[in-house]
């Protein structure tokens, strides 16, 4: 056996860690912005109305989603032509610039209108980089995995993002416990964003060690690829599925702001919701992927979303009625556990449905488009509708509407798990 063949045999073990660690670093700063939306709003968008300040901050958070489709198209096509490794290195370099730049932007009080303009510019760069990250990252995990275990391997992409959410929430709990509100506004949120900048060099070192998977196509992997389908059909069904998953994810990520701003709960309790979301994802993302390898992708999307539809209104009612930590954390953890199991499985099914030659660019563009249109607007729309109606159950209604659309789209999704289709023996 040659050295290269030996390296290929070890690819699934040591390379997965390098990919998911880099993905977690990129997601950490992107999502942590949302956890400190109120503080960032007061820093860059001061207003006599706290609600207007928050809405401006959430709109800037959404701006990061506008460039995700462009990043997915540019870097995704690069990944399908030059390889997964150079594309992931490029996205990581760009994210590093944005991650270091955003916490260093002076406040509006210091430099005036230049502050929000710089904040928006760095968010746009973050979005471009993250949009270009997801496609090559997911394609790499798919191609590195043995076909019978693709669900588990690809679910590591979502798991790494939830690790970032959990760490961001823990950092928030710590800072909210030791800093006064004025300190959180002045520099606490900046401190929360800087860990990503500190570990960027280590992420680059990990990614330089990656082996290429673009041209690594074992016969079993080729045999497991489902029959080709028209790209527009794949795109439309996939966009709705991802819209459902991402809307639920970002609504659950919004629970910190919802609990603190809408329900008036203390910051320490509100940040606990973020920890619950991340911890649930860390456990149930890989569990959903593993179960989908055995019982099929469709079943592991359908059953959790049906359960979500049953529990979402009672859950939000409990949070709004009791307004305490146990109710907030328990409901958030339960809903997040159900959603992450289905969401990670949806990513696997869509990736399997796409042919290798367009996997990174196609998946990245589908994912980024859905995220940009629906994910980026979720928190802003929820906050605006809550303000407009005065109804604290608006997030539940919003989530329920997308679950209904996701279930309709699921009826058009073919089963792609090798164990269920019989194309590859286990």
């Amino acid at each position: 056996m040659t050295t290269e063949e030996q390296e290929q045999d070890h690819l699934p073990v040591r390379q997965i860690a390098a990919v998911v660690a880099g993905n977690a670093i990129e997601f950490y700063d992107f999502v942590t912005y949302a956890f400190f939306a109120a503080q960032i709003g007061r820093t860059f968008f001061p207003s006599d109305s706290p609600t207007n300040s928050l809405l401006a901050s959430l709109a800037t958070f959404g701006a990061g989603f506008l460039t995700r489709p462009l990043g997915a198209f540019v870097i995704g096509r690069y990944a399908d032509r030059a390889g997964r490794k150079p594309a992931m290195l490029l996205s990581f370099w760009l994210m590093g610039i944005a991650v270091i730049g955003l916490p260093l932007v002076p406040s509006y009080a210091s430099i005036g209108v230049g502050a929000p303009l710089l904040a928006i510019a760095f968010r746009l760069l973050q979005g471009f980089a993250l949009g270009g990250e997801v496609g090559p990252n997911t394609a790499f995990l798919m191609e590195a995995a043995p076909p019978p275990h693709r669900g588990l391997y690809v679910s590591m992409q979502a798991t790494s993002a939830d690790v970032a959410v959990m760490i961001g929430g823990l950092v928030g709990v710590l800072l909210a416990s030791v800093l006064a509100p004025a300190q959180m506004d002045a520099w606490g949120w900046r401190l929360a964003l800087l860990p990503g900048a500190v570990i960027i060099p280590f992420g680059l070192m990990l990614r330089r060690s990656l082996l290429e998977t673009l041209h690594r196509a074992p016969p079993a992997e080729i045999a497991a690829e489902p029959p080709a389908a028209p790209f527009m059909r794949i795109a439309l069904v996939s966009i709705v599925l991802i819209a459902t998953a991402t809307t639920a994810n970002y609504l659950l990520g919004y629970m910190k702001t919802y609990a603190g701003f809408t329900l008036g709960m203390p910051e320490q309790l509100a940040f606990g919701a973020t920890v619950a979301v991340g911890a649930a994802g860390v456990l149930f993302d890989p569990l959903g992927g593993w179960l989908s390898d055995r019982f099929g992708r469709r079943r592991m999307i359908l059953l959790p979303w049906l359960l979500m539809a049953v529990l979402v209104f009672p859950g939000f009612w409990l949070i709004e009625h009791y307004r305490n930590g146990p109710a907030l954390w328990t409901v958030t953890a339960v809903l997040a556990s159900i959603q992450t199991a289905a969401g990670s499985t949806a990513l696997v099914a869509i990736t399997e449905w796409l042919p290798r030659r367009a996997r990174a660019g196609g998946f990245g563009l589908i994912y980024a488009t859905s995220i940009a249109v629906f994910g980026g607007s979720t928190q802003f729309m929820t906050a605006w509708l809550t303000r407009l109606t005065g109804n604290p159950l608006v997030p539940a209604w919003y989530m329920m509407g997308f679950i209904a659309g996701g279930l309709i789209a699921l009826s058009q999704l073919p089963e792609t798990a090798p164990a269920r289709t019989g194309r590859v023996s286990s």
Side-chain angles (χ1 to χ4, degrees):
M1 179 179 290
T2 67
T3 302
E4 182 177 354
E5 288 172 334
Q6 291 174 341
E7 288 179 337
Q8 296 284 4
D9 283 345
H10 290 86
L11 180 64
V13 178
R14 60 186 176 84
Q15 300 287 287
I16 298 302
V19 173
V20 299
N23 192 60
I25 294 169
E26 291 206 35
F27 265 91
Y28 174 83
D29 274 81
F30 192 86
V31 300
T32 301
Y33 181 105
F35 307 154
F36 294 88
Q39 290 82 8
I40 293 172
R42 290 189 286 268
T43 300
F44 296 133
F45 309 97
S47 172
D48 293 334
S49 168
T51 301
N52 289 340
S53 181
L54 174 64
L55 288 174
S57 179
L58 291 175
T60 301
F61 174 71
F65 292 84
L66 297 178
T67 49
R68 286 179 74 162
L70 181 60
F73 178 77
V74 174
I75 300 178
R77 282 178 61 85
Y78 179 54
D80 284 330
R81 293 177 178 179
R84 316 311 189 197
K85 176 180 176 179
M88 285 190 285
L89 281 170
L90 173 60
S91 70
F92 206 82
W93 271 109
L94 295 174
M95 180 61 81
I97 295 171
V99 162
I100 294 170
L102 184 59
L104 300 180
V105 175
S107 67
Y108 185 93
S110 299
I111 63 172
V113 72
L117 291 178
L118 283 171
I120 292 170
F122 282 122
R123 282 299 292 178
L124 292 174
L125 182 59
Q126 279 186 329
F128 183 89
L130 196 58
E133 162 75 10
V134 173
N137 182 293
T138 308
F140 183 98
L141 294 172
M142 173 70 68
E143 292 156 5
H149 305 295
R150 284 178 180 160
L152 178 60
Y153 277 67
V154 176
S155 71
M156 292 296 106
Q157 197 264 10
T159 303
S160 65
D162 283 315
V163 168
V165 172
M166 183 176 67
I167 294 174
L170 289 170
V171 170
V173 169
L174 175 63
L175 292 176
S177 300
V178 301
L179 298 180
Q183 293 174 312
M184 286 286 282
D185 285 355
W187 51 269
W189 68 267
R190 300 178 190 273
L191 188 63
L193 293 178
L194 283 175
V198 173
I199 56 181
I200 283 291
F202 300 100
L204 286 169
M205 290 174 57
L206 288 171
R207 295 222 158 166
R208 287 198 183 99
S209 70
L210 294 177
L211 298 174
E212 186 54 62
T213 63
L214 176 58
H215 306 297
R216 179 179 179 265
E221 197 275 344
I222 296 173
E225 192 169 282
F231 182 77
M232 284 306 298
R233 180 189 170 205
I234 296 176
L236 290 174
V237 172
S238 300
I239 284 173
V240 177
L241 289 171
I242 293 176
T244 303
T246 195
T247 299
N249 283 339
Y250 279 101
L251 276 172
L252 291 168
Y254 177 70
M255 293 298 281
K256 180 266 169 186
T257 302
Y258 172 75
F261 192 85
T262 303
L263 302 183
M265 297 173 64
E267 285 285 297
Q268 295 94 325
L269 297 183
F271 270 112
T274 300
V275 178
V277 171
V282 170
L283 293 173
F284 283 85
D285 278 324
L287 179 61
W290 179 73
L291 290 172
S292 76
D293 283 329
R294 284 149 181 78
F295 303 109
R297 316 299 186 212
R298 286 168 51 87
R299 189 177 301 176
M300 284 309 301
I301 301 171
L302 174 64
L303 296 180
W305 279 354
L306 288 175
L307 187 57
M308 280 278 287
V310 172
L311 295 180
V312 63
F313 279 104
F316 273 88
W317 181 87
L318 286 171
I319 295 172
E320 194 276 333
H321 181 73
Y322 288 102
R323 303 194 182 201
N324 59 29
L328 174 66
W329 304 333
T330 301
V331 170
T332 302
V334 169
L335 293 180
S337 299
I338 297 167
Q339 161 52 28
T340 51
S344 62
T345 303
L347 298 184
V348 181
I350 294 166
T351 310
E352 277 181 320
W353 202 10
L354 287 162
R356 173 184 288 264
R357 65 184 180 277
R359 184 170 291 152
F363 178 81
L365 189 58
I366 290 168
Y367 183 89
T369 300
S370 186
I371 292 282
V373 175
F374 302 104
S377 63
T378 291
Q379 298 189 2
F380 177 87
M381 289 297 297
T382 303
W384 178 73
L385 289 171
T386 301
R387 177 191 180 188
L388 182 67
T389 64
N391 184 354
L393 294 180
V394 160
W397 284 104
Y398 202 86
M399 188 183 295
M400 189 65 186
F402 278 90
I403 290 173
L407 291 172
I408 293 171
L410 181 61
S411 67
Q412 303 301 309
L413 180 74
E415 180 58 67
T416 59
R420 303 294 295 180
T421 61
R423 280 190 290 271
V424 174
S425 62
S426 59

